[in-house]
Amino acid sequence: MSSTKSDPTLLPRILNVIHRFEDSLLAILLIAMILLASAQIVLRNVFEISIVWADPLLRIMVLWLALIGALAASRENKHISIDVLTRVMNEKTRRATHIFTSLFTAVVTGLIAYHAGRFVVMEYETQNLVLGIPAWVFEAIIPAAFALMAIRYLIHFVQYAKGLIMQEPSS
Amino acid sequence: MNVILLIITLLGAPLFAVIAASAMFGFYSDDIDLGVIAIEIYRLAETPVLLAIPLFTFAGYILGASQAPHRLVRLTNALLGWLPGGLAMVAIVACAFFTAFTGASGVTIVALGALLYPALKEAGYGEHFNLGLITSSGSLGLLFAPSLPLILYGVVVQQMGMEQTISIGDLFLAGILPGLLMMLLLSTYSMLQRRQPRLATSKPTNKEIVNILRESAWELPLPFVVLGGIYSGLFAISEAAAVTALYVLIVEVLIKREIPMSDLPRIIRESMILVGGVLIILGVSLALTNYIIDSGLPMRLFDAIRAHIDSKWTFLILLNVFLLALGMILDIFSALVIIIPIILPIAINYGIHPVHLGIVFLANMQIGYFTPPVGMNLFIASYRFERPVMELYRATIPFFFILLGAVLIITYWPGLSLVLLGQS
């Protein structure tokens, strides 16, 4: 973290802000989820009432946590993958494959972001409501997270391509 | 196209990207609007039980970062340590217990290995035995509630919308006896180990036991609340997960203060990276699963296999071989979401109970955790104990055969999995 402070370029600083934002969002979502789910149990069993919006909201929070968690995994290149081959490759070949797989992942996540974006725009136009709030608000995390993942893998691609980073990029 | 994707997979591209690419290519060639992919991913928000996954995972990470592993080892040691082969049994029980809670994410080896390895060495066990035991026990407990793969199997099966549906509670019951069988076989093997002569451990005094019990007083109710709550039907699984997460958070952070507040964001991020990594694969696989089922691939495969094999038992042998090979290259989560939709319909046609299939599948995958070349736990242990991976390959061989024996028993004795469900 401290090394990015002294870095004069803009990109690492922006990334740093984004990382903090992602981390805070994860923490807030998870803690809120724990409290809300626990409150719901107490209300249901002790007072025999329940918050109507709690269960659907909790389910949406799972989606958000999953996608932001996946985004954090993209940052550290920690997605589940098969590494039988990369493990035995020499440094140079491995970097070349990383360049290729990063680009592939950027393209795929970019495509998902684009199509999910179209879907969200459609939802915006139909004005569906979930919990009294337009549904697209909750769904917007899908294109947003995938777009950020695409950017993340483009950065990996550029970094590997430049050969700046020999090992796994870290935060 | 499939060949290209296979090559990309082997080159180490993230699996979720490969699965998504393959689903989108399928939609594209069938002229289906690619916007469907968003609808499929949104199904993550329409599956109530998924709530349990982040909550249990987080609770497991908190426990792993606290002093709870130390207390768990001390406690099991006081209760079992004085028996012949006692310390090895301590390792087996503690690992199984801990893995059930942390979902076999490798946390067990990191958190418990460091405590058990030196203790086993001191107790006079051979080097290879210690390494092998800890590495192979790192995935033990996978069959016990509330392990993440067990829940995930239930979710995948429920999402498929088969006629014969199963509950996650059934899976939790079904895993008990097969899991105990594995522990029993490993304990027996440990008791037969020749050790260097050493001082006999005396049976702990009552006072010592009381002390250790008092020390673990906060964590002791946890298994009873979680397992008792789920098995008795008092809690839904996601409720048990919420209670566990809140309880562990309060105890380890606020009461015992073993984890500083400032460490929480890091622990949350690390646990959510695992959750995100698994759930995003599940999300994109939901799209692929529908495509696979609609394409009729499982039925065509079934017909093809049926032409050569008509006995259920031969099919099960084939399945074991296939799953063992699968476990060697694919991790348990991806294997679950990709392979189950294909083999479940086939297995049902051979008259295999979906719950039994789940237990067989996970038992095979459990071995996959420590089979070369890519068993995750081999690398975690190699990193943790600073040993070459080759040495761990060798050290785990006897354990591989013991657990393989257990897997065969589990496979060919469906009753072992189904008897507690009352429908064997």
Side-chain angles (χ1 to χ4, degrees):
Chain A
M1 283 290 168
S2 60
S3 66
T4 45
K5 262 184 200 150
S6 58
D7 201 313
T9 55
L10 192 60
L11 185 66
R13 263 192 289 164
I14 296 176
L15 285 179
N16 200 10
V17 173
I18 295 178
H19 294 170
R20 293 243 183 108
F21 182 68
E22 284 173 12
D23 292 354
S24 323
L25 208 54
L26 281 176
I28 293 167
L29 274 170
L30 184 70
I31 302 287
M33 185 187 244
I34 294 174
L35 294 178
L36 184 59
S38 308
Q40 181 80 331
I41 297 170
V42 173
L43 288 177
R44 190 175 289 154
N45 292 304
V46 181
F47 301 101
E48 293 183 346
I49 49 171
S50 72
I51 314 172
V52 187
W53 46 264
D55 288 346
L57 183 63
L58 281 169
R59 293 205 294 272
I60 290 166
M61 286 164 92
V62 172
L63 174 75
W64 280 60
L65 260 186
L67 290 176
I68 300 171
L71 192 52
S74 308
R75 181 204 313 176
E76 296 172 32
N77 226 344
K78 273 192 179 162
H79 274 290
I80 297 175
S81 60
I82 294 183
D83 53 2
V84 203
L85 286 185
T86 43
R87 221 179 261 284
V88 294
M89 283 175 185
N90 65 36
E91 195 58 47
K92 212 172 166 187
T93 328
R94 187 182 309 149
R95 211 188 314 158
T97 45
H98 278 326
I99 293 173
F100 172 69
T101 54
S102 301
L103 184 62
F104 168 79
T105 311
V107 170
V108 173
T109 46
L111 263 175
I112 299 177
Y114 169 71
H115 288 289
R118 279 195 314 119
F119 168 72
V120 169
V121 169
M122 250 156 44
E123 288 277 288
Y124 175 77
E125 284 161 358
T126 55
Q127 298 185 320
N128 275 340
L129 293 185
V130 174
L131 303 171
I133 295 169
W136 68 267
V137 176
F138 299 120
E139 292 155 355
I141 188 68
I142 304 176
F146 277 97
L148 287 172
M149 272 186 250
I151 294 172
R152 175 64 62 191
Y153 274 96
L154 270 183
I155 295 175
H156 287 327
F157 166 72
V158 172
Q159 282 179 330
Y160 283 124
K162 277 187 182 168
L164 283 179
I165 289 184
M166 307 290 283
Q167 67 276 53
E168 306 290 337
S170 61
S171 57
Chain B
M1 188 64 190
N2 288 330
V3 178
I4 298 173
L5 284 177
L6 185 68
I7 294 169
I8 295 175
T9 313
L10 288 176
L11 289 179
L15 276 169
F16 86 88
V18 179
I19 298 169
S22 132
M24 286 196 292
F25 182 74
F27 289 140
Y28 176 75
S29 35
D30 282 4
D31 281 329
I32 299 170
D33 187 331
L34 289 180
V36 181
I37 192 105
I39 300 173
E40 299 287 354
I41 293 169
Y42 195 76
R43 278 167 67 188
L44 286 180
E46 291 165 349
T47 315
V49 70
L50 288 184
L51 179 60
I53 292 179
L55 297 177
F56 272 132
T57 309
F58 172 66
Y61 270 74
I62 288 279
L63 283 175
S66 72
Q67 295 295 313
H70 283 264
R71 287 190 287 274
L72 178 61
V73 170
R74 271 207 293 275
L75 180 67
T76 34
N77 197 21
L79 300 175
L80 299 171
W82 51 276
L83 293 166
L87 196 69
M89 257 148 71
V90 170
I92 291 164
V93 172
C95 284
F97 189 80
F98 203 69
T99 305
F101 267 85
T102 56
S105 46
V107 181
T108 305
I109 294 177
V110 177
L112 286 178
L115 307 171
L116 294 168
Y117 178 65
L120 284 165
K121 199 169 177 178
E122 204 175 304
Y125 289 100
E127 178 76 17
H128 272 177
F129 173 81
N130 301 343
L131 286 173
L133 180 70
I134 291 173
T135 311
S136 50
S137 298
S139 56
L140 198 64
L142 211 68
L143 296 177
F144 295 132
S147 94
L148 189 55
L150 211 47
I151 298 177
L152 200 61
Y153 177 79
V155 171
V156 171
V157 175
Q158 286 170 0
Q159 288 294 318
M160 288 176 63
M162 309 285 298
E163 281 170 39
Q164 194 177 2
T165 190
I166 60 169
S167 79
I168 294 174
D170 284 349
L171 287 168
F172 282 1
L173 281 174
I176 296 177
L177 293 180
L180 286 177
L181 172 73
M182 289 184 170
M183 290 170 68
L184 181 75
L185 290 182
L186 286 178
S187 303
T188 312
Y189 176 68
S190 307
M191 266 186 261
L192 299 175
Q193 284 299 305
R194 232 183 295 138
R195 283 182 293 160
Q196 306 292 323
R198 54 158 199 142
L199 295 169
T201 327
S202 54
K203 210 172 159 172
T205 63
N206 285 341
K207 202 180 157 205
E208 279 167 331
I209 292 188
V210 169
N211 271 340
I212 294 166
L213 282 178
R214 188 173 297 152
E215 183 186 83
S216 332
W218 281 107
E219 281 106 358
L220 274 178
L222 207 52
F224 298 101
V225 172
V226 174
L227 304 182
I230 292 176
Y231 285 131
S232 70
L234 185 68
F235 286 139
I237 289 151
S238 55
E239 291 179 329
V243 172
T244 309
L246 183 68
Y247 184 83
V248 165
L249 190 64
I250 291 176
V251 168
E252 311 297 349
V253 179
L254 298 179
I255 297 177
K256 287 191 168 268
R257 294 173 188 243
E258 284 169 357
I259 298 170
M261 212 60 123
S262 56
D263 243 12
L264 268 186
R266 183 189 58 81
I267 298 174
I268 291 178
R269 191 185 77 216
E270 278 175 12
S271 56
M272 290 309 114
I273 282 180
L274 175 71
V275 169
V278 171
L279 287 187
I280 196 175
I281 289 185
L282 179 65
V284 293
S285 300
L286 292 174
L288 187 64
T289 303
N290 275 350
Y291 184 75
I292 289 175
I293 294 176
D294 290 345
S295 75
L297 173 70
M299 283 307 105
R300 267 182 283 137
L301 264 177
F302 174 66
D303 290 339
I305 300 172
R306 187 88 208 192
H308 300 283
I309 300 162
D310 26 62
S311 124
K312 171 181 172 180
W313 305 110
T314 327
F315 172 74
L316 281 172
I317 295 177
L318 206 72
L319 187 67
N320 269 336
V321 174
F322 171 71
L323 291 179
L324 278 176
L326 188 72
M328 286 177 191
I329 54 162
L330 215 54
D331 76 282
I332 191 162
F333 302 115
S334 328
L336 266 172
V337 294
I338 301 171
I339 302 300
I340 287 298
I342 300 175
I343 63 171
L344 180 68
I346 301 176
I348 287 179
N349 272 302
Y350 273 104
I352 296 161
H353 194 288
V355 169
H356 182 220
L357 178 74
I359 302 299
V360 169
F361 188 91
L362 295 183
N364 274 290
M365 287 293 134
Q366 179 186 330
I367 297 185
Y369 267 89
F370 61 91
T371 38
V374 297
M376 177 176 82
N377 282 354
L378 290 168
F379 294 100
I380 294 175
S382 150
Y383 174 78
R384 190 76 193 72
F385 304 119
E386 295 173 351
R387 291 307 164 88
V389 178
M390 286 310 288
E391 192 178 336
L392 289 162
Y393 286 175
R394 274 199 309 275
T396 48
I397 289 173
F399 297 91
F400 172 80
F401 283 106
I402 293 167
L403 289 176
L404 184 64
V407 166
L408 293 178
I409 297 174
I410 291 166
T411 309
Y412 301 105
W413 185 11
L416 189 67
S417 308
L418 300 176
V419 68
L420 291 180
L421 274 64
Q423 47 178 279
S424 59

